[in-house]
Amino acid sequence: MTDHRDALDVGAIRADFPILSRMIGDKPLVYLDSAATSQKPTQVIRAESDFYANHNANAHRSIYRLGEEATELFEGARAKLARFFGASDPATIVFTRGTTESMNLVAQAWGRTFLKPGDEILLTDLEHHSNIVPWQLTAAVTGASLRYIPLTDDGQLDLSELGSLLTERTKILSVTGMSNSIGTITPLRQLVDAAHAVGAVVAVDAAQLAPHHPIDVDEIDCDFLTFSGHKMLGPTASGGLFAKRELLETMNPMFGGGDMIREVFRDHSTWNDVPYKFEAGTMQIAQQVGLGAAVDYLEALGMSSVRAHEEEITRYAIECLLQAGATIYGPKDASIRGGAVSFWFRDIHPHDLATVLDDEGVAIRAGHHCAQLVMRRFDTSATARASFYVYNTKEEVDVLVEALARAEEFFRH
């Protein structure tokens, strides 16, 4: 993946996002919930709309012109994603609806094929539920057991006992690249090397990492990597799975249906080539084409520049929130964390806080963020979370802090 690092022209970027011109009541929208889903630039909206308007047909099904155009656009998006993640073979990219489906695919198609009683699945207390629940279901079916890497007080992985957690019984380590709840960036290459040393494979949940940080799967040497298009400027129901081809060849499909087969007999079927044996039925063609346009957009910005902008905004936000009296969970150093900043402000419950901030036009997330293990580690049921992306500005952080002051005044009375 080619990349560069220049300061982002945030004003020009914001002009590409129609929704950012919206008013919430009489207040300009300040969107600070990109960890949940990113907004979409005009280029992505047009790409999806253009597919339906001018190229709509079922990919891989027809030899007429529309069908060939649909196939070309669909496979073009796959090639763009392979390049974006540093994968030399586009066939190692399997299209899914996003990280949740991708992790379920790994847990079922790989886990239920290769795990057995006595094997261990290693997770962390940092994980989103979509990287916990699929493994719980697989463990229940296969007889494998679950173990967890704990967290330190500042929200990083506690690797002090990694040697006793990763053993010859460990068959897979499944770990987030960046926490959606407290922003922690994990030391992926260190973890991958340690897991491979005991013969385990590694799955990376890159739902948060992929939109914000350069990724090269060859450099990381992960075996699986999941990603969600809707968090990286793409449409909902877009995304996929990277997997080493030798693993895909040995895995069974998760879904059965059209186009994932080679031949069907009364009592058995044989499978299509990788990656198509995992893509049953009519896929999310327009959405993945839109994701291809999102990749074009991010590559034009340069992922190193995207990361640098996030560090700058996150550093400023943490400083401002601490000065305002907020309690922040997770690392305070912006260079080792992402832009999802979880906090409590005074004694105002996050749900109440989010409601008042909405009246000021500020959209933040409140809740457990599908990361209840993290919440329990820090003895809270919920946090407020402001999360940043390429279109956010320091001025919007100032609006957030001003809105917090008004919330404090409101609840004081």
Side-chain angles (χ1 to χ4, degrees):
M1 183 180 86
T2 57
D3 200 12
H4 56 273
R5 182 171 183 143
D6 297 312
L8 297 183
D9 185 345
V10 180
I13 290 171
R14 289 179 64 84
D16 289 333
F17 290 80
I19 201 169
L20 297 183
S21 64
R22 266 208 64 176
M23 303 293 288
I24 304 299
D26 61 349
K27 307 285 186 180
L29 170 65
V30 176
Y31 186 76
L32 303 179
D33 196 22
S34 293
T37 194
S38 65
Q39 296 302 338
K40 321 303 176 192
T42 299
Q43 293 87 335
V44 169
I45 297 169
R46 286 176 178 167
E48 187 174 1
S49 176
D50 178 70
F51 177 85
Y52 284 128
N54 295 303
H55 310 286
N56 187 46
N58 212 329
H60 297 296
R61 302 299 202 280
S62 305
I63 60 173
Y64 54 80
R65 184 169 300 179
L66 286 183
E68 291 177 347
E69 290 173 355
T71 299
E72 182 178 349
L73 288 165
F74 186 58
E75 291 303 322
R78 194 191 309 274
K80 290 177 183 181
L81 285 160
R83 184 183 68 240
F84 186 75
F85 290 117
S88 58
D89 182 1
T92 58
I93 301 294
V94 177
F95 281 131
T96 70
R97 292 177 299 149
T99 293
T100 297
E101 184 176 311
S102 295
M103 199 58 76
N104 275 275
L105 193 160
V106 177
Q108 292 192 39
W110 181 88
R112 298 192 185 194
T113 301
F114 294 106
L115 293 174
K116 60 185 185 304
D119 290 341
E120 293 180 353
I121 302 161
L122 183 59
L123 308 176
T124 87
D125 283 336
L126 199 59
E127 302 310 311
H128 188 281
H129 295 165
S130 63
N131 196 26
I132 297 174
V133 178
W135 294 111
Q136 291 175 337
L137 295 172
T138 291
V141 170
T142 63
S145 58
L146 298 165
R147 302 189 76 185
Y148 289 84
I149 300 173
L151 301 181
T152 63
D153 290 341
D154 63 350
Q156 299 189 67
L157 295 184
D158 183 353
L159 302 180
S160 61
E161 301 298 327
L162 186 61
S164 62
L165 289 169
L166 268 176
T167 71
E168 70 279 357
R169 293 184 299 277
T170 310
K171 301 307 175 185
I172 188 165
L173 164 64
S174 196
V175 58
T176 185
M178 180 189 290
S179 167
N180 75 300
S181 57
I182 58 174
T184 305
I185 296 176
T186 57
L188 287 179
R189 187 55 199 250
Q190 177 185 354
L191 292 166
V192 169
D193 287 346
H196 286 173
V198 298
V201 298
V202 179
V204 174
D205 172 355
Q208 299 296 326
L209 190 68
H212 303 282
H213 200 287
I215 293 177
D216 187 312
V217 291
D218 283 344
E219 289 183 5
I220 298 171
D221 197 27
C222 56
D223 302 284
F224 303 101
L225 184 135
T226 66
F227 55 95
S228 294
H230 74 98
K231 296 181 189 294
M232 48 189 288
L233 306 183
T236 54
S238 67
L241 166 72
F242 159 80
K244 291 181 177 177
R245 182 157 190 153
E246 58 269 27
L247 292 173
L248 291 175
E249 297 286 2
T250 63
M251 291 159 54
N252 289 316
M254 181 169 71
F255 298 122
D259 205 47
M260 50 74 64
I261 54 83
R262 185 171 303 281
E263 291 186 283
V264 174
F265 304 92
R266 284 184 170 180
D267 59 348
H268 74 282
S269 298
T270 59
W271 312 136
N272 201 345
D273 295 333
V274 168
Y276 308 114
K277 73 174 181 178
F278 301 104
E279 296 178 353
T282 297
M283 296 296 289
Q284 313 87 346
I285 306 168
Q287 289 84 353
Q288 305 293 8
V289 171
L291 178 54
V295 167
D296 290 339
Y297 192 94
L298 289 171
E299 287 189 327
L301 296 180
M303 289 307 295
S304 291
S305 298
V306 170
R307 172 61 186 156
H309 176 73
E310 179 176 86
E311 283 188 43
E312 181 182 4
I313 294 294
T314 303
R315 184 175 297 108
Y316 182 71
I318 289 173
E319 291 173 358
C320 291
L321 287 168
L322 290 173
Q323 290 174 3
T327 298
I328 292 177
Y329 299 91
K332 307 301 188 295
D333 182 353
S335 68
I336 60 171
R337 60 161 298 142
V341 181
S342 275
F343 63 95
W344 261 79
F345 181 68
R346 307 301 185 187
D347 58 351
I348 305 171
H349 192 279
H351 291 138
D352 296 328
L353 186 66
T355 300
V356 174
L357 263 57
D358 182 55
D359 290 337
E360 302 296 326
V362 179
I364 66 166
R365 187 70 174 269
H368 56 64
H369 317 297
C370 296
Q372 289 181 317
L373 299 188
V374 177
M375 299 298 111
R376 291 194 190 99
R377 172 62 176 81
F378 294 104
D379 195 27
T380 183
S381 61
T383 67
R385 185 189 69 188
S387 53
F388 308 101
Y389 206 11
V390 293
Y391 36 67
N392 291 122
T393 66
K394 290 182 178 179
E395 290 75 18
E396 289 182 312
V397 175
D398 294 337
V399 173
L400 167 64
V401 173
E402 292 165 6
L404 291 176
R406 284 191 279 275
E408 182 180 16
E409 182 178 356
F410 175 85
F411 285 105
R412 186 184 300 134
H413 299 291

